[in-house]
C-alpha cells in the first residue's frame, strides 16, 4: 500500500516513484543513500549520483537544474563550463563558493547520444518529482538563509511550473521550502548569448542577482 502511494508514473517499462530518503540530519548519510537512488530511470544511463556539496548552515544554497557531462563524470555539481562562469560571477559578487551549498533539482545526468557526444536533455516533471525528496531533505538539513534558483527548472522546482524567471529574477521571494529565495538565470544561458555586448550585460545582471541573495543572507 505504501509502495503504491509513492509511485509517480510508469511508462515504457520505466518507473518513477518518490525517492526514498532516510530520516537523518546528516548530509553524509543523505549523500550515501542518494548514491543508490533508483527512483526514476535516469540512474540507468548516468555514471553516478551527483549530490549537493557544502556544509550544513551555509548562508546560501545554489540550486541548478541537473548535473552535466563533466559533473556526471566527476560526481560534483557545477564543475564544467557553467560552473566556471558561476565561479567567476560568485567571486565578483563577493561570495566564497566554499561557504555555499551547491546542488541540483535532479541528481542524475539526463542525456541523449549524438555521435560520440552526450547531449543534455531537460528533466521532465516526473524526473523532478521523483528527485524532489532529496532537495527537500537538503533544505531541511542545510537550512540556508537564502536559496538561489539558477534558471527556470530550479525555480519551477520550488515555485511550480507557472513561475517565470524573466518576471521575478533578482527579487527576494518566499516559499514554503525556503524562507527566502532569489531566482536568476542559469549560468549556461550566459554562454549562449549571441554577442559580446549581450554576454556582458547578462553577466552583469547575473552578478547583481547574486548580490541581492548575499545581501539578504547578511540581513538575516
Ligand atoms: N548545470 C546545472 O544545472 N548543474 C550542474 O551541476 C552543472 C550544469
Amino acid at each position: 500500500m505504501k509502495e503504491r502511494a509513492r509511485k509517480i508514473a510508469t511508462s515504457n517499462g520505466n518507473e518513477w516513484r518518490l525517492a526514498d530518503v532516510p530520516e537523518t540530519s546528516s548530509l553524509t548519510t543523505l549523500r550515501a543513500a542518494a548514491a543508490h537512488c533508483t527512483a526514476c530511470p535516469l540512474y540507468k544511463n548516468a555514471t553516478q549520483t551527483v549530490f549537493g556539496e557544502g556544509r550544513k548552515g551555509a548562508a546560501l544554497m545554489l540550486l541548478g537544474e541537473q548535473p552535466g557531462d563533466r559533473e556526471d563524470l566527476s560526481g560534483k555539481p557545477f564543475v564544467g563550463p557553467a560552473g566556471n562562469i558561476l565561479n567567476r560571477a560568485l567571486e565578483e559578487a563577493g561570495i566564497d563558493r566554499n561557504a555555499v551549498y551547491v546542488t541540483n533539482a535532479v541528481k542524475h545526468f539526463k542525456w541523449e547520444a549524438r555521435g560520440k557526444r552526450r547531449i543534455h536533455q531537460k528533466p521532465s516533471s516526473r524526473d523532478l518529482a521523483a528527485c524532489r525528496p532529496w532537495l527537500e531533505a537538503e533544505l531541511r538539513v542545510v537550512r540556508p538563509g537564502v536559496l538561489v534558483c539558477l534558471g527556470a527548472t530550479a525555480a519551477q522546482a520550488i515555485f511550480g511550473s507557472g513561475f517565470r524567471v524573466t518576471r521575478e529574477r533578482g527579487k527576494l521571494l518566499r516559499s514554503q521550502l525556503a524562507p527566502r529565495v532569489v531566482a536568476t538565470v542559469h549560468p549556461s544561458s550566459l554562454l549562449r548569448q549571441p554577442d559580446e555586448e549581450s554576454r556582458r550585460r547578462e553577466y552583469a545582471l547575473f552578478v547583481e542577482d547574486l548580490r541581492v541573495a548575499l545581501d539578504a543572507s547578511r540581513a538575516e
Side-chain angles (χ1 to χ4, degrees), residues 148-209:
V148 182
C149 296
L150 302 170
T153 302
Q156 288 172 0
I158 299 298
F159 293 109
S161 57
F163 187 87
R164 294 290 168 264
V165 172
T166 41
R167 268 205 311 260
E168 307 289 349
R169 71 176 296 176
K171 295 181 189 166
L172 196 53
L173 306 169
R174 285 177 189 284
S175 92
Q176 283 186 338
L177 283 175
R180 290 150 181 245
V181 187
V182 174
T184 185
V185 296
H186 193 281
S188 66
S189 71
L190 306 174
L191 300 168
R192 293 194 300 268
Q193 293 300 313
D195 53 60
E196 189 54 31
E197 193 193 324
S198 41
R199 229 183 336 269
R200 242 180 248 179
R201 188 185 57 238
E202 287 304 313
Y203 176 77
L205 290 173
F206 183 56
V207 172
E208 230 173 79
D209 292 344

Side-chain angles (χ1 to χ4, degrees), residues 46-61:
T47 307
Q48 58 192 313
T49 303
V50 180
F51 202 66
E53 191 178 57
R55 282 185 284 107
K56 267 189 199 185
L60 292 175
M61 182 188 281

Side-chain angles (χ1 to χ4, degrees), residues 4-10 16-18 39 125-126 129-131:
R4 212 175 247 266
R6 299 184 65 80
K7 193 184 274 193
I8 297 167
T10 308
W16 286 257
R17 49 195 167 71
L18 292 178
S125 54
R126 292 184 294 202
C131 216

Side-chain angles (χ1 to χ4, degrees), residues 96-160:
D96 175 5
R97 172 154 175 176
N98 295 318
V100 162
Y101 188 89
V102 184
T103 194
N104 284 298
V106 169
K107 267 66 171 170
H108 281 114
F109 180 32
K110 183 173 187 177
W111 59 278
E112 65 178 6
R114 209 169 294 160
K116 287 190 174 160
R117 296 181 60 208
R118 301 193 301 169
I119 304 299
H120 160 275
Q121 277 194 303
K122 197 172 148 63
S124 68
S125 54
R126 292 184 294 202
D127 303 332
L128 283 159
C131 216
R132 187 182 169 94
W134 294 119
L135 174 58
E136 289 176 357
E138 286 173 298
L139 283 163
R140 177 169 42 76
V141 171
V142 177
R143 299 183 73 80
V146 178
L147 173 68
V148 182
C149 296
L150 302 170
T153 302
Q156 288 172 0
I158 299 298
F159 293 109

Side-chain angles (χ1 to χ4, degrees), residues 17 36-49 108-109:
R17 49 195 167 71
H36 304 289
C37 187
T38 58
C40 78
L42 298 186
Y43 75 94
K44 295 179 185 173
N45 291 327
T47 307
Q48 58 192 313
T49 303
H108 281 114
F109 180 32

